[in-house]
Amino acid sequence: MVNQQQFAPHAVAFPSERIRSLFPALRQEPSFIFFDNAAGAQIPQVVFDAINGHLLHCNVQRGGRYPRSMEVDASIARARDSVAALINARDPSEIAFGMNATSFLRLLSLAIGRTLGTRNEIVVTNLDHEANIATWLQLEREGAKIVWWKMRDDHNLHLEDLAPLLNSKTRLVACTVASHTLGTIVDVTAVGKLAHAVGAEVSLDCVHYSPHALIDVQAFDCDYLVCSGYKVFAPHMGFMWGRLELLYALPTFREDFIPDAPPGKIEAGTFIFENVAGMAAAVAYLETLGHNLTAEQGSDKPASRRETIVHALAFIRDYEATLSQSMLAELHSAGAIVYGVDDPTRAAQRVPTFCFCLPGVAPALVTETMSDRGIAIRDGHMYAPRLMKHLGLALDTGVNRASIVHYNTLEEVREFGKVLRDIVSGS
């Protein structure tokens, strides 16, 4: 397994302006600062080109005997190979394409619900997006018992609280890899060890983690993982990964002419082929980034596609840690209440997504003022009503969330901080 840390890119300045030039939306006038990436990131030109190329040259149904149809089949196969490299899957057949992570979570929960038996306990958390809670709560009508792994007062999940919840009746642990609201990273590798020790499985929501750090289903030792491409510089689509032997065993809906084998048994109906082509192009973008930054560092050329992706995410993770530290400094300077990890020295425990409130200022007013100043952030409950309740916040007002990715800059963070301070001072 490739060690991401050995590629720590401290010797190379991150070329943020060059990277921004690759994203057409960031070059538009009037210019704007986009800090709403947790709701969906912008896409690079190569992704536009892949989508347009598909619609122009092979906008036909798959499975035909003519060249354009055969190219659709080849494009989907290439995309499976690309995503397999992105997440370190053992076999491209473990990758299924579809609409989004939520629909895959529901598909998975329906299948798991038919296999409960005496193992009928499902562990969920109050940190997660509601999509990774409500889908599992639906199984109570199938005889499932929902067990809650709850955050402590520090707004973190603790492994020592999970261990006593697991036993011979545990069927599955469902949790996120990184909180879409707080930015907190969960030690999912340790979760996997605890769950597997009692014979349970693990399902991970990797949507929010995907643009920020290296996904490795083998290192995570999980059993299922879902992701939405539009968070990782691709169009609106989603994918699901599962251990091959488990996907074979899942009782899923399929039409009679579909073999009872992955990935086909997971992909009900026709998905959006041009967006799958865009997902492959997003992976190619990361590979190009890894190649270029490695060459500038003077390191040896990566030995594989996977190693190139490892390089890219190492550079991104390192740069985003700097952005996180600066962002926390700006929030603190404005007197903001930051939920989750708020210590700049602990940036490694989070991704650069910041949930905050300004005391005495309505979140909607903060968002509107930011918008007037050309900065896009978000307010509300962030599709996490149980997390809002834990934080003691009303659903109708919620919080503010500013979310950063690697095409954002320190200058943008400083401008954000200036506007925050102006709001506090009434300027």
Side-chain angles (χ1 to χ4, degrees):
M1 185 182 304
V2 178
N3 179 4
Q4 184 176 199
Q5 294 303 314
Q6 74 187 82
F7 304 119
H10 302 293
V12 176
F14 197 78
S16 55
E17 288 305 319
R18 190 174 77 220
I19 286 169
R20 289 174 65 81
S21 72
L22 303 175
F23 288 80
L26 303 180
R27 305 197 304 266
Q28 295 185 82
E29 295 294 338
S31 62
F32 75 115
I33 295 174
F34 189 64
F35 279 3
D36 194 25
N37 294 284
Q42 301 301 313
I43 66 174
Q45 185 66 50
V46 291
V47 173
F48 277 103
D49 293 343
I51 297 167
N52 292 340
H54 181 98
L55 292 172
L56 180 63
H57 298 295
C58 52
N59 187 27
V60 300
Q61 183 57 275
R62 64 193 295 188
R65 299 184 187 276
Y66 54 96
R68 295 193 182 202
S69 181
M70 289 188 284
E71 174 53 29
V72 176
D73 290 324
S75 175
I76 293 169
R78 289 194 298 269
R80 287 196 212 282
D81 288 339
S82 294
V83 173
L86 176 69
I87 68 173
N88 201 27
R90 297 172 181 84
D91 189 315
S93 296
E94 295 177 324
I95 309 295
F97 293 125
M99 291 300 295
N100 49 53
T102 300
S103 59
F104 276 125
L105 285 170
R106 185 54 179 146
L107 178 152
L108 183 61
S109 73
L110 287 169
I112 295 292
R114 296 172 61 187
T115 67
L116 290 176
T118 57
R119 279 190 176 272
N120 67 337
E121 295 187 0
I122 308 289
V123 178
V124 298
T125 90
N126 59 345
L127 174 68
D128 279 66
H129 192 293
E130 185 67 9
N132 202 29
I133 299 173
T135 49
W136 303 109
L137 293 181
Q138 288 292 310
L139 297 188
E140 288 182 304
R141 66 183 66 176
E142 309 297 331
K145 177 184 177 183
I146 301 301
V147 178
W148 289 91
W149 179 19
K150 294 184 178 182
M151 292 178 286
R152 295 187 187 178
D153 292 340
D154 64 359
H155 315 315
N156 288 317
L157 295 169
H158 290 261
L159 292 167
E160 52 266 40
D161 297 334
L162 173 63
L165 305 178
L166 305 176
N167 55 65
S168 61
K169 294 184 178 180
T170 307
R171 176 67 178 84
L172 184 93
V173 178
C175 71
T176 189
V177 185
S179 169
H180 72 291
T181 303
L182 305 184
T184 308
I185 295 174
V186 178
D187 185 355
V188 293
T189 299
V191 171
K193 289 179 180 177
L194 289 172
H196 292 153
V198 299
E201 294 172 351
V202 176
S203 172
L204 297 180
D205 174 355
C206 203
V207 172
H208 193 66
Y209 187 78
S210 59
H212 302 294
L214 187 68
I215 305 173
D216 191 333
V217 295
Q218 296 187 49
F220 290 170
D221 197 23
C222 53
D223 300 288
Y224 309 100
L225 180 145
V226 298
C227 198
S228 289
Y230 61 93
K231 304 296 178 75
V232 63
F233 320 114
H236 283 86
M237 54 81 69
F239 62 84
M240 172 179 152
W241 168 89
R243 293 182 188 271
L244 196 61
E245 64 275 16
L246 297 180
L247 295 181
Y248 270 104
L250 277 180
T252 59
F253 163 79
R254 61 183 179 84
E255 295 151 304
D256 286 345
F257 53 81
I258 300 295
D260 190 17
K265 66 178 291 185
I266 312 296
E267 296 172 338
T270 298
F271 47 84
I272 303 174
F273 303 141
E274 61 268 28
N275 287 358
V276 170
M279 182 69 234
V283 178
Y285 159 74
L286 292 173
E287 291 180 65
T288 300
L289 181 63
H291 272 298
N292 292 344
L293 292 179
T294 300
E296 291 173 18
Q297 188 185 43
S299 299
D300 293 338
K301 182 179 179 181
S304 65
R305 296 185 71 186
R306 174 63 182 176
E307 191 172 304
T308 304
I309 293 167
V310 170
H311 281 241
L313 270 300
F315 281 101
I316 286 173
R317 188 85 175 107
D318 190 75
Y319 174 64
E320 288 187 351
T322 301
L323 294 178
S324 288
Q325 291 164 352
S326 180
M327 190 68 165
L328 287 170
E330 297 291 347
L331 287 163
H332 289 321
S333 75
I337 300 168
V338 179
Y339 301 98
V341 176
D342 62 355
D343 181 351
T345 66
R346 295 169 57 202
Q349 298 173 27
R350 61 147 51 248
V351 297
T353 297
F354 303 90
C355 173
F356 68 96
C357 287
L358 290 180
V361 184
L365 178 59
V366 175
T367 303
E368 290 166 1
T369 305
M370 287 283 176
S371 179
D372 292 341
R373 300 279 288 270
I375 302 174
I377 65 169
R378 185 166 293 264
D379 65 270
H381 53 64
M382 306 303 152
Y383 311 102
R386 298 161 209 279
L387 175 57
M388 294 299 110
K389 182 178 180 181
H390 174 83
L391 298 177
L393 300 170
L395 287 185
D396 57 346
T397 54
V399 292
N400 290 111
R401 183 182 68 184
S403 47
I404 295 172
V405 294
H406 70 281
Y407 51 58
N408 293 121
T409 67
L410 286 169
E411 290 74 21
E412 290 180 323
V413 170
R414 293 181 188 117
E415 180 61 24
F416 169 85
K418 182 179 183 299
V419 177
L420 271 187
R421 290 186 291 275
D422 286 349
I423 293 172
V424 171
S425 66
S427 300

